[in-house]
């Protein structure tokens, strides 16, 4: 699969390493330019590219940058990528991102991201630590296999992401539409807890829309 990754931080760098190891054609970009990704490209075989190139001609693009940086992405970044599956891994941390009024008022984080990008997104890979994403993939059926929630409004695009998760060694749980994606935001029972599929389903049901104080702007 042709995959673009926008953001080379902990999750972006981990996905670059794991997806190239699986044989995918990965292009990775960050805000500082391709030359700053030379080491990652040499290590993994991924192509270090511009943000525009990471979004162009890909089957799937992972956007994995701080929420505060989402509005800084080029306008119409996905204008020529109508069939591209776009995955948002982001989480809103007010201490890092500053106050984003729409999110503070109850808009799910990925719905806000979708509006900034001007195209549908799937929320995934946001509730697992990068080290665990790197090291804790297991074969299908393994008793200690971690499950990850996947939220989005289109069943086709969710199925693509779920298939990728399976190849990475994780079960997936359909977490319903994007308006329900608050159930996997920071501070919820499924966040950074490495649950199995049964546990993820239970945690999603038990989630509260009230954001914990440590995940709200003061």
């Amino acid at each position: 699969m042709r995959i673009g990754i926008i953001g080379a931080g902990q999750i972006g760098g981990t996905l670059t390493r794991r997806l190239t190891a699986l044989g995918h054609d990965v292009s990775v970009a960050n805000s500082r330019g391709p030359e700053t990704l030379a080491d990652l490209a040499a290590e993994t075989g991924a192509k270090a590219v511009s943000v525009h190139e990471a979004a162009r001609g890909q089957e799937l693009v992972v956007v994995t940058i701080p929420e505060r940086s989402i509005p800084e992405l080029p306008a119409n970044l996905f204008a020529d990528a109508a069939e591209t599956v776009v995955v948002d891994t982001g989480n809103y941390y007010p201490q890092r991102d500053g106050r984003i009024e729409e999110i503070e008022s109850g808009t799910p984080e990925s719905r806000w991201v979708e509006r900034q990008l001007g195209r549908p997104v799937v929320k995934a890979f946001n509730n697992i630590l990068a080290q665990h994403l790197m090291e804790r993939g297991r074969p299908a059926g393994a008793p200690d296999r971690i499950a990850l929630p996947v939220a989005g409004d289109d069943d086709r695009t969710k199925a693509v992401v779920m298939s990728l998760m399976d190849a990475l060694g994780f079960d997936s749980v359909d977490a319903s539409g994007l308006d329900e994606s608050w159930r996997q935001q920071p501070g919820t029972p499924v966040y950074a807890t490495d649950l199995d599929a049964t546990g993820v389903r239970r945690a999603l049901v038990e989630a509260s829309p009230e954001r914990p104080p440590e995940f709200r702007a003061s």
Side-chain angles (χ1 to χ4, degrees):
M1 183 183 292
R2 297 186 310 279
I3 298 175
I5 299 179
I6 298 174
Q10 292 189 12
I11 294 294
T14 297
L15 284 173
T16 299
R17 293 177 174 91
R18 297 259 4 240
L19 292 170
T20 52
L22 289 173
H24 294 286
D25 180 1
V26 177
S27 298
V28 60
N30 66 8
S31 61
R32 294 177 295 142
E35 64 280 359
T36 67
L37 296 171
D39 289 346
L40 181 61
E43 173 193 344
T44 63
K47 294 187 289 289
V49 300
S50 69
V51 170
H52 279 291
E53 290 170 315
R56 187 180 303 123
Q58 311 296 345
E59 296 170 83
L60 182 143
V61 174
V62 180
V63 179
T64 180
I65 62 177
E67 305 295 65
R68 67 170 186 264
S69 301
I70 292 288
E72 299 171 6
L73 289 172
N76 300 317
L77 184 60
F78 296 102
D80 299 322
E83 299 301 315
T84 301
V85 177
V86 179
V87 179
D88 170 39
T89 78
N91 291 308
Y92 171 56
Y93 302 115
Q95 296 84 353
R96 176 196 67 186
D97 298 316
R99 184 182 184 92
I100 299 177
E101 195 59 50
E102 290 175 67
I103 297 177
E104 290 287 339
S105 298
T107 300
E109 297 163 349
S110 288
R111 184 65 79 188
W112 179 83
V113 169
E114 180 181 81
R115 291 171 182 169
Q116 305 308 303
L117 297 180
R119 61 158 307 121
V121 303
V122 176
K123 187 178 187 77
F125 299 111
N126 76 296
N127 74 308
I128 185 170
L129 298 176
Q131 183 178 356
H132 295 187
L133 181 60
M134 187 72 195
E135 300 175 352
R136 297 195 180 181
R138 298 289 186 268
D144 59 344
R145 202 180 206 218
I146 295 169
L148 303 175
V150 180
D153 296 331
D154 180 75
D155 288 341
R156 180 191 71 84
T157 55
K158 282 195 289 189
V160 172
V161 177
M162 290 175 170
S163 177
L164 200 62
M165 281 185 175
D166 180 58
L168 288 165
F170 300 93
D171 287 332
S172 57
V173 172
D174 190 332
S176 193
L178 208 62
D179 284 336
E180 295 297 309
S181 64
W182 59 266
R183 296 180 183 275
Q184 64 197 75
Q185 291 175 176
T188 60
V190 80
Y191 183 72
T193 46
D194 290 346
L195 301 171
D196 63 11
T198 299
V200 167
R201 293 186 186 98
R202 180 171 58 247
L204 292 171
V205 170
E206 294 173 352
S208 168
E210 182 68 23
R211 192 180 291 273
E214 61 268 30
F215 295 110
R216 297 200 304 262
S218 58

